[in-house]
């Protein structure tokens, strides 16, 4: 087994043999502040001296403080925070339960390429049929609809003239393909594992209208996009989106503390906290790490750096696109970037994408591809503490990989 031990807040990890790798997957997209950010380490150490855990049935000042800070930062209308969850999947399940309780309906609309976790229910609601194949009948239930993936539009449309058919047609799905008992739409603002799909302008405004027209709760899964990843505290801000609930996880722990949250509107307030509570929820070490993380990320200078380094990488990758035919669409927001790997004819090339990811270690990069190695999009999501110099290194190394196969 190799070991790694970055000395301080670091975008890198190092093996015993002395080789360094720049981690473009930020662990599992959760090391938003890199390995061992000093503010997080200190907060966890200090808290550990006092108390590690108190069962979430009791109130603690620290957890209340985290709830209040999250509500303060959240988009308008999200007035409540529920922290008794154990991770992103159970945060999503809790938000769904809240929507079900509030509406008295049960079914949930998700996108073809959505990913919402790997509990039984979230595997069922996520795209990727290969993961649902072994679920018992019923566990894979949920209404899946085409993504706002303009480059490969399900309806064969062009954005200039489509009139956002991908939203409008959801009305038909509700009428003809649903159970007739639909509670919510659950959606990632930018798809994390589905290919880094950034919805076109106007998509979320139209989706909000559709939800309002049908009395559906709009839940945004910001487990991957939240806490600065896209250059704003929440990706919803890019789209001026007013969700009924938002889920958080991953990056909230800064340097890997396991913490997640559900933020919800008053309309979703009915679920008793004890009906969605997990042993490791509202953990004090995690709350301390999350508060320290929010302090760092909420700094406008920090978020500006995420946008600047992200734009720098996008610009360089677009230059590479002009040189290497296998580089297709390059897209993203902040440091949530995806690179489509394509054949000479522009078709998705998942085989080549996974080859590149496997070879990346050889040039000192940790790269992952979409849809668990079965997709054609290379994900570039390094820790948000990235410097421009490191951004250049990522691009240099990625280009070296591309050049080596010419
Ligand atoms: N939602 C999204 C968008 C995710 O990317 C993930 C994890 N990959 C989850 C939910 C599930 O989070 P967890 O693994 O913490 O349960």
């Amino acid at each position: 087994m190799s070991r790694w031990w970055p000395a301080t807040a670091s975008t890198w990890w190092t093996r015993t043999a002395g080789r360094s790798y720049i981690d473009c997957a930020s662990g599992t997209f959760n090391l938003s502040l890199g390995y061992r950010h000093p503010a997080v380490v200190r907060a966890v150490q200090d808290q550990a001296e006092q108390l590690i855990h108190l069962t979430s049935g009791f109130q603690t000042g620290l957890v209340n403080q985290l709830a209040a800070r999250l509500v303060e930062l959240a988009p308008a209308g999200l007035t409540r925070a529920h922290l008794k969850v154990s991770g992103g999947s159970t945060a999503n399940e809790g938000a769904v339960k809240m929507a079900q309780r509030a509406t008295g309906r049960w079914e949930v609309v998700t996108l073809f390429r959505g990913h919402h976790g790997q509990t039984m229910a979230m595997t069922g609601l996520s795209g990727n049929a290969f993961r649902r194949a072994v679920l018992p009948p019923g566990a894979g239930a949920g209404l899946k609809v085409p993504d706002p993936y303009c480059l490969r539009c399900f309806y064969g449309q062009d954005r200039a003239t489509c009139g956002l058919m991908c939203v409008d047609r959801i009305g038909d799905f509700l009428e003809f393909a649903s159970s007739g008992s639909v509670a919510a739409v659950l959606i990632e603002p930018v798809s994390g594992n589905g290919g880094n799909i950034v919805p076109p302008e106007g998509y979320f405004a139209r989706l909000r209208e559709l939800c309002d027209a049908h009395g559906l709760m709009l839940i945004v899964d910001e487990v991957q996009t939240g806490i600065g990843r896209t250059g704003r505290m929440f990706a919803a801000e890019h789209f001026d989106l007013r969700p009924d609930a938002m889920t958080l996880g991953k990056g909230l722990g800064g340097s890997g503390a396991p913490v997640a949250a559900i933020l919800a509107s008053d309309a979703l307030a009915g679920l008793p906290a004890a009906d969605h509570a997990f042993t490791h929820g509202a953990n004090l070490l995690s709350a301390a790490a999350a508060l320290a993380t929010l302090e760092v990320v909420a700094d406008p200078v920090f978020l500006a750096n995420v946008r600047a380094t992200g734009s720098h990488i996008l610009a360089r990758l677009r230059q590479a696109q002009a040189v290497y035919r296998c580089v297709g669409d390059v897209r993203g927001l902040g440091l949530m970037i995806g690179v489509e790997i394509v054949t000479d004819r522009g078709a998705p090339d998942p085989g080549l994408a996974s080859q590149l990811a496997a070879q990346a270690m050889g040039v000192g990069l940790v790269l992952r591809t979409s849809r668990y190695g079965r997709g054609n999009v290379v994900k570039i999501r390094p820790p948000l503490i990235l410097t421009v110099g490191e951004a250049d290194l990522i691009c240099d190394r990625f280009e070296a990989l591309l050049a080596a196969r010419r």
Side-chain angles (χ1 to χ4, degrees):
M1 252 312 253
S2 54
R3 292 180 53 217
W4 49 263
W5 64 92
T8 178
S10 175
T11 316
W12 303 71
W13 54 272
T14 311
R15 281 217 227 180
T16 26
R19 275 189 85 157
S20 320
Y21 302 82
I22 194 156
D23 184 357
C24 294
S26 302
T28 307
F29 312 112
N30 59 333
L31 305 178
S32 55
L33 299 186
Y35 295 79
R36 291 169 51 101
H37 191 285
V40 176
V41 172
R42 205 175 319 116
V44 170
Q45 276 171 343
D46 290 351
Q47 185 56 42
E49 302 275 335
Q50 298 175 45
L51 194 61
I52 292 173
H53 187 82
L54 187 67
T55 184
S56 66
F58 292 106
Q59 298 261 317
T60 56
L62 198 67
V63 171
N64 289 342
Q65 212 181 316
L66 174 59
R69 186 70 180 123
L70 284 169
V71 166
E72 195 172 69
L73 292 166
L78 298 180
T79 52
R80 289 151 193 275
H82 179 87
L83 295 167
K84 299 183 182 194
V85 288
S86 58
S89 308
T90 55
N92 283 331
E93 292 209 10
V96 166
K97 281 188 195 172
M98 288 176 186
Q100 289 168 332
R101 200 178 167 102
T103 59
R105 302 190 291 266
W106 66 270
E107 199 171 14
V108 180
V109 178
T110 51
L111 296 182
F112 280 5
R113 292 173 178 78
H115 174 75
H116 304 291
Q118 297 211 32
T119 55
M120 193 85 93
M122 287 305 127
T123 303
L125 287 182
S126 298
N128 286 330
F130 74 88
R131 283 197 187 267
R132 295 197 303 273
V134 294
L135 294 189
L143 183 61
K144 287 154 192 94
V145 301
D147 315 85
Y149 189 11
C150 301
L151 181 71
R152 305 184 193 285
C153 176
F154 179 84
Y155 297 107
Q157 297 293 305
D158 188 286
R159 178 63 198 98
T161 51
C162 74
L164 287 169
M165 190 181 276
C166 56
V167 184
D168 288 348
R169 288 282 164 96
I170 297 174
D172 290 333
F173 279 92
L174 292 173
E175 186 171 355
F176 301 114
S178 81
S179 61
S181 177
V182 182
V185 171
L186 171 62
I187 184 168
E188 297 160 84
V190 176
S191 64
N193 292 344
N196 220 89
I197 299 163
V198 184
E201 212 184 315
Y203 178 82
F204 279 109
R206 187 70 70 82
L207 188 65
R208 180 72 265 183
E209 281 170 21
L210 179 118
C211 288
D212 291 344
H214 292 270
L216 311 182
M217 296 297 152
L218 180 53
I219 305 169
V220 282
D221 176 344
E222 292 235 22
V223 168
Q224 235 182 99
T225 53
I227 321 299
R229 170 58 55 195
T230 66
R232 304 272 172 210
M233 182 58 83
F234 306 108
E237 295 169 32
H238 289 281
F239 307 104
D240 209 11
L241 176 59
R242 294 246 182 145
D244 298 295
M246 174 189 278
T247 54
L248 300 169
K250 293 199 187 280
L252 183 56
S255 284
V259 55
I262 308 168
L263 303 181
S265 67
D266 290 347
L268 294 195
L271 184 74
D275 284 6
H276 197 71
F278 298 83
T279 304
H280 298 302
N283 174 266
L284 290 169
L285 294 186
S286 295
L291 274 165
T293 301
L294 290 175
E295 177 98 25
V296 173
V297 178
D299 181 345
V301 175
F302 181 91
L303 288 170
N305 179 63
V306 176
R307 296 193 292 275
T309 45
S311 305
H312 188 74
I313 294 177
L314 274 180
R316 282 214 44 193
L317 289 172
R318 286 188 177 132
Q319 284 165 12
Q321 191 182 19
V323 179
Y324 302 98
R325 289 184 75 176
C326 67
V327 177
D329 194 35
V330 171
R331 53 183 178 252
L333 291 174
L335 284 170
M336 183 142 184
I337 294 170
V339 184
E340 288 230 1
I341 301 300
V342 295
T343 64
D344 284 352
R345 295 171 165 208
D349 194 341
L352 178 56
S354 24
Q355 238 179 59
L356 291 171
Q359 290 162 357
M361 293 291 277
V363 297
L365 280 186
V366 179
L367 284 184
R368 290 211 213 166
T369 59
S370 59
R371 302 180 67 208
Y372 305 98
R374 300 182 190 217
N376 74 311
V377 178
V378 169
K379 301 187 266 199
I380 307 218
R381 296 179 199 148
L384 310 181
I385 53 170
L386 196 76
T387 62
V388 176
E390 288 169 335
D392 271 324
L393 262 180
I394 291 176
C395 298
D396 292 346
R397 291 178 180 190
F398 187 59
E399 281 181 42
L401 259 187
L402 298 170
R405 57 171 302 282
R406 280 182 123 193

